[in-house]
Amino acid sequence: MDYVYGPGKNHLFVPGPVNIPEPVIRAMNRNNEDYRSPAIPALTKTLLEDIKKIFKTTSGTPFLIPTTGTGAWESALTNTLSPGDRIISFLIGQFSLLWIDQQQRLKFNVDVVESDWGQGANLDVLASKLAADTAHTIKAICIVHNETATGVTNNLATVRGILDHYGHPALLLVDGVSSICALDFRMDEWGIDVALTGSQKALSLPTGMGIVCASPKALEASKTAKSVRVFFDWSDYLKFYKMGTYWPYTPSIQLLYGLRAALDLIFEEGLENVIARHKRLGKATRLAVEAWGLKNCTQKEEWFSDTVTAVRVPPQIDGSEVVRVAWKRYNLSLGLGLNKIAGKVFRIGHLGNVNELQLLGCLAGVEMILRDVGYPVKLGSGVGAAAAYLLNTTPFIPSRV
């Protein structure tokens, strides 16, 4: 069946891919270029320096890989670990589950710490395992910073504190796919050894670029790691970095120019302002959910995500039907419940280049959809709660003051 465009714009409120800003679209609207000409290495050099700013690192080495977040996962694992290495990995939702599956298929000895979906990583179990591991058999801790399936954010500073408390040398590998550039993320301060994200999330680019940042400790580990890697091998990149050409194979020229424009927008707004904006949008969404009489899938406030909210629906409502009606009737894209929570939730993504009025439009649409599927929400209740909060917290646009 051929689908035709509805009137107006699609309201894209899944937790990635996200809306692409017009300046980024214009920057990418260009022909191919010779990536070995002087222009592309010069562009790449500035991108690599500026990428470090969004990870908040001065010592990390970034890699821009033509791939998705899944490829970035593989790059992080295979460059730092050897088959059979023992790693601790936290299963808290669909994306942590998928990363664990990858870890197992790459033949690592994965010690899975599982929590109920809607809870964060069980850090008490981490502490007990590290305390018992006096021989330092644990080589890495793998954790998803922000689990988009459930809207749970983990406290990375606490993870680092536990590692330091026990003086444990394990590497800390972090999936920051739906957090970096939207949530507070401090690679150097939190002692993160490998952090990664994808272009289609908070950076507000098309899918196709996996961004990995490695600490000096991770680079040192890569020299002895025995996992097979070819396309994702950091050493190939480092050779070309030394030559000043940067690319061991063909990059996406359009994505590089798009990344330049995306970073410029972020720096114009100010990274801390971007993080604060996401905090406002997350809070406003949660206030709306509360006003609707519905529950957040995330079970404790300490785990609430500011980039995605998973909304639990009553037993008589199918969360998947909410998503279907949203798209078919209102040209609004919401996130499905996945795996264990399929049909039990729908997800509202509020990350990337999105503002307060866009969010209010989404929330108004959700109210109409809830009525469509038989939930007796009072129209305007969630929108009103969110608007009252945003009215008192939204600052002037920094560049227009």
Side-chain angles (χ1 to χ4, degrees):
M1 176 179 179
D2 291 330
Y3 295 107
V4 296
Y5 286 104
K9 285 192 173 184
N10 170 251
H11 298 269
L12 188 57
F13 281 87
V14 297
V18 303
N19 296 282
I20 304 174
E22 290 298 329
V24 173
I25 292 174
R26 290 195 295 270
M28 293 188 298
N29 185 18
R30 60 198 311 125
N31 210 327
N32 280 326
E33 296 179 29
D34 175 12
Y35 72 97
R36 299 190 188 279
S37 74
I40 299 305
L43 171 63
T44 304
K45 183 178 180 180
T46 67
L47 290 174
L48 291 173
E49 285 304 310
D50 282 346
I51 278 293
K52 291 163 71 172
K53 297 174 184 176
I54 65 171
F55 285 86
K56 293 187 181 174
T57 181
T58 57
S59 60
T61 299
F63 302 96
L64 308 177
I65 306 172
T67 186
T68 64
T70 305
W73 281 346
E74 188 166 331
S75 177
L77 295 167
T78 57
N79 279 281
T80 58
L81 299 166
S82 301
D85 277 353
R86 181 186 175 196
I87 60 178
I88 294 176
S89 201
F90 297 93
L91 201 173
I92 61 171
Q94 179 66 12
F95 296 96
S96 52
L97 173 67
L98 291 173
W99 198 16
I100 287 168
D101 175 64
Q102 184 186 77
Q103 293 157 15
Q104 292 168 334
R105 290 161 70 179
L106 288 168
K107 307 303 182 186
F108 302 120
N109 176 14
V110 188
D111 191 343
V112 179
V113 179
E114 187 167 2
S115 300
D116 289 341
W117 289 32
Q119 294 183 357
N122 191 328
L123 300 185
D124 290 336
V125 171
L126 172 64
S128 65
K129 288 181 180 292
L130 292 178
D133 185 34
T134 55
H136 296 163
T137 62
I138 299 166
K139 301 304 180 185
I141 311 299
C142 297
I143 188 167
V144 173
H145 186 199
N146 189 78
E147 173 59 71
T148 47
T150 56
V152 164
T153 301
N154 286 305
N155 190 319
L156 299 179
T158 302
V159 176
R160 170 45 57 193
I162 294 170
L163 280 162
D164 289 348
H165 177 76
Y166 292 103
H168 202 289
L171 294 166
L172 178 54
L173 311 186
V174 175
D175 170 339
V177 170
S178 60
S179 66
I180 291 169
C181 245
L183 307 183
D184 188 20
F185 193 93
R186 310 178 192 184
M187 182 170 177
D188 284 357
E189 184 177 332
W190 295 338
I192 297 167
D193 292 298
V194 186
L196 60 97
T197 189
S199 54
Q200 78 281 11
K201 298 287 187 173
L203 279 165
S204 301
L205 288 161
T207 307
M209 185 183 293
I211 302 172
V212 179
C213 201
S215 73
K217 182 179 174 181
L219 289 181
E220 193 62 29
S222 72
K223 295 176 183 178
T224 55
K226 294 181 173 57
S227 293
V228 174
R229 66 260 188 191
V230 179
F231 183 77
F232 296 116
D233 197 337
W234 295 346
S235 65
D236 290 341
Y237 274 85
L238 293 172
K239 289 174 189 174
F240 281 80
Y241 285 4
K242 287 181 180 178
M243 292 189 290
T245 52
Y246 297 103
W247 293 103
Y249 36 69
T250 311
S252 166
I253 300 300
Q254 290 77 11
L255 273 178
L256 293 180
Y257 282 106
L259 178 59
R260 179 68 271 162
L263 291 172
D264 289 344
L265 287 173
I266 288 165
F267 298 148
E268 178 184 296
E269 184 178 356
L271 181 56
E272 297 310 311
N273 293 327
V274 172
I275 293 167
R277 171 166 53 81
H278 283 86
K279 189 175 290 289
R280 284 195 304 277
L281 299 181
K283 176 70 172 177
T285 304
R286 293 190 293 272
L287 287 170
V289 172
E290 185 179 333
W292 296 332
L294 297 175
K295 299 292 184 183
N296 196 319
C297 179
T298 308
Q299 295 177 19
K300 290 185 181 179
E301 186 174 352
E302 66 187 86
W303 296 319
F304 284 164
S305 170
D306 289 328
T307 61
V308 56
T309 300
V311 184
R312 286 200 172 273
V313 293
Q316 72 274 18
I317 303 293
D318 180 0
S320 301
E321 183 64 13
V322 172
V323 176
R324 281 192 292 270
V325 172
W327 188 77
K328 288 184 176 181
R329 189 170 190 192
Y330 302 107
N331 206 8
L332 169 62
S333 294
L334 300 171
L336 288 163
L338 302 171
N339 200 316
K340 286 187 178 182
I341 51 176
K344 298 177 182 178
V345 307
F346 65 91
R347 295 177 297 146
I348 302 173
H350 32 83
L351 75 161
N353 193 271
V354 62
N355 64 28
E356 290 80 0
L357 295 187
Q358 287 174 287
L359 178 66
L360 290 173
C362 168
L363 297 176
V366 171
E367 290 183 355
M368 293 190 288
I369 296 154
L370 289 172
R371 289 282 285 266
D372 284 339
V373 300
Y375 181 73
V377 66
K378 180 182 177 182
L379 294 179
S381 58
V383 173
Y389 169 74
L390 293 171
L391 177 66
N392 292 316
T393 56
T394 302
F396 285 96
I397 297 168
S399 63
R400 299 181 184 180
V401 175

